[in-house]
């Protein structure tokens, strides 16, 4: 989480591509095109589209499963005001996705909130959040930061800012990488949960390092590999990364949750779902 991903833009030089392509590659608009029968047209219309984790219903399931691990509750929308120091060396952990004062994502969130709502109750903590970034210090935050965070959580603008930062930093990158790797809803969720816990920086236990470790053992479907074999290799690498840090050494969110879904062949993360995290049982019907 300390090394946060940056958006990358890809320029599409369409004009150059068209100029470089042979003329025979393009059909003239004046050439007659084969007729499409009514049956063929209906087949195209009715062809099912692949559902990703960004489907609203699937995304809500993902948020519930992550909340079961982060907050011991499926009610993720009740977590905007959550805040505590869980003793993992990252300072305060708060909100719907565990924004941390020591890893920079909480700073980014409060900066976004302050851009949208100048003078909000958390804005005065921005200098302190910049100072404690990269540490577990509470300097400049105590004793009122936790109470002010809980107050801010009553503001819909703060809730929206949490949603937007969750998507920008964690959800969208994991879904995009999952689609690029050719994995379905479960695989995209497995990526998402890994990014939430480990971030997407360059350290040995970050998401991209976990993925690189898995590449030594298996091949993603987009490169011709078997999806289940690839996801098992990824989860093996994830478990290794979790065991490198005492605060994350309980691997039940993989062993008795994600691995269960995978072993059941539930690559689409369809309900009903039953799993355990840290000894607690959860069900989505």
């Amino acid at each position: 989480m300390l090394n946060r991903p940056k958006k990358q833009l890809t320029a599409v030089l369409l004009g150059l591509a068209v100029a470089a392509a042979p003329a025979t590659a393009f059909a003239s608009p004046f050439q007659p095109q084969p007729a499409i029968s009514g049956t063929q047209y209906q087949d195209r219309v009715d062809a099912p589209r692949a559902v990703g984790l960004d489907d609203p219903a699937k995304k809500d399931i993902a948020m519930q499963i992550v909340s079961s691990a982060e907050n011991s509750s499926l009610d993720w929308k009740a977590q905007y005001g959550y805040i505590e120091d869980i003793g993992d060396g990252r300072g305060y952990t708060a909100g719907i996705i565990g924004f941390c004062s020591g890893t920079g994502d909480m700073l980014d969130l409060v900066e976004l909130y302050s851009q949208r709502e100048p003078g909000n109750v958390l804005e005065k903590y921005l200098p302190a959040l910049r100072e404690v970034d990269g540490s577990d210090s509470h300097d400049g935050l105590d004793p009122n930061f936790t109470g002010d965070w809980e107050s801010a959580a009553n503001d819909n603008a703060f809730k929206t800012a949490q949603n937007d930062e969750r998507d920008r930093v964690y959800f969208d990158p994991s879904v995009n990488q999952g689609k690029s790797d050719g994995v379905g809803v479960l695989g995209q969720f497995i990526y998402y949960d890994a990014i939430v816990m480990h971030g997407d920086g360059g350290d040995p236990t970050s998401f991209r390092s976990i993925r690189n470790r898995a590449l030594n053992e298996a091949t993603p479907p987009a490169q011709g590999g078997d999806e289940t074999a690839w996801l098992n290799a990824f989860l093996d690498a994830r478990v290794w990364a979790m065991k490198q840090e005492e605060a994350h050494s309980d691997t039940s969110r993989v062993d008795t949750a994600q691995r269960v879904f995978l072993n059941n062949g539930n690559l689409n993360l369809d309900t009903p779902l039953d799993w355990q995290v840290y000894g607690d049982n959860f069900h989505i019907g």
Side-chain angles (χ1 to χ4, degrees), residues 33-46:
Q33 299 300 310
I36 300 176
S37 71
T39 301
Q40 288 174 317
Y41 177 79
Q42 193 62 44
D43 287 344
R44 292 185 183 183
V45 171
D46 294 341

Side-chain angles (χ1 to χ4, degrees), residues 43-52 55 185 268:
D43 287 344
R44 292 185 183 183
V45 171
D46 294 341
R49 294 184 177 182
V51 174
D55 173 83
V185 178
N268 201 42

Side-chain angles (χ1 to χ4, degrees), residues 24-168:
T24 55
F26 300 93
S28 165
F30 301 105
Q31 294 176 345
Q33 299 300 310
I36 300 176
S37 71
T39 301
Q40 288 174 317
Y41 177 79
Q42 193 62 44
D43 287 344
R44 292 185 183 183
V45 171
D46 294 341
R49 294 184 177 182
V51 174
L53 194 66
D54 47 359
D55 173 83
K58 297 295 186 182
K59 185 174 184 178
D60 187 69
I61 290 172
M63 290 301 298
Q64 291 184 65
I65 299 173
V66 169
S67 184
S68 73
E70 297 287 329
N71 305 102
S72 300
S73 169
L74 297 182
D75 187 5
W76 67 269
K77 294 181 180 179
Q79 311 308 322
Y80 291 102
Y82 161 76
I83 181 167
E84 67 175 321
D85 189 327
I86 62 175
D88 63 353
R90 292 172 171 81
Y92 281 117
T93 296
I96 58 170
I97 208 64
F99 301 100
C100 295
S101 60
T103 62
D105 55 354
M106 181 181 286
L107 171 61
D108 287 349
L109 168 62
V110 177
E111 286 179 336
L112 176 64
Y113 180 38
S114 297
Q115 290 169 9
R116 295 176 176 179
E117 296 289 329
N120 70 75
V121 69
L122 297 180
E123 187 173 28
K124 60 181 175 287
Y125 296 104
L126 282 172
L129 287 170
R130 295 185 182 107
E131 287 296 319
V132 303
D133 187 12
S135 76
D136 61 357
S137 174
H138 294 183
D139 289 349
L141 300 176
D142 290 341
N144 297 319
F145 181 64
T146 56
D148 286 339
W149 180 282
E150 291 167 356
S151 296
N154 294 315
D155 182 1
N156 285 332
F158 187 46
K159 294 178 181 178
T160 299
Q162 288 196 39
N163 293 341
D164 291 345
E165 279 299 281
R166 170 203 62 202
D167 290 351
R168 181 184 72 85

Side-chain angles (χ1 to χ4, degrees), residues 224-267:
D226 176 77
E227 184 170 7
T228 299
W230 164 249
L231 292 177
N232 269 311
F234 185 91
L235 290 178
D236 290 343
R238 168 85 189 279
V239 167
W240 175 88
M242 292 173 73
K243 289 183 176 179
Q244 304 312 301
E245 187 176 1
E246 179 61 31
H248 293 154
S249 59
D250 185 327
T251 60
S252 64
R253 68 195 288 164
V254 169
D255 302 333
T256 55
Q258 296 169 43
R259 191 88 74 174
V260 171
F261 306 149
L262 183 58
N263 289 341
N264 288 339
N266 192 355
L267 297 175

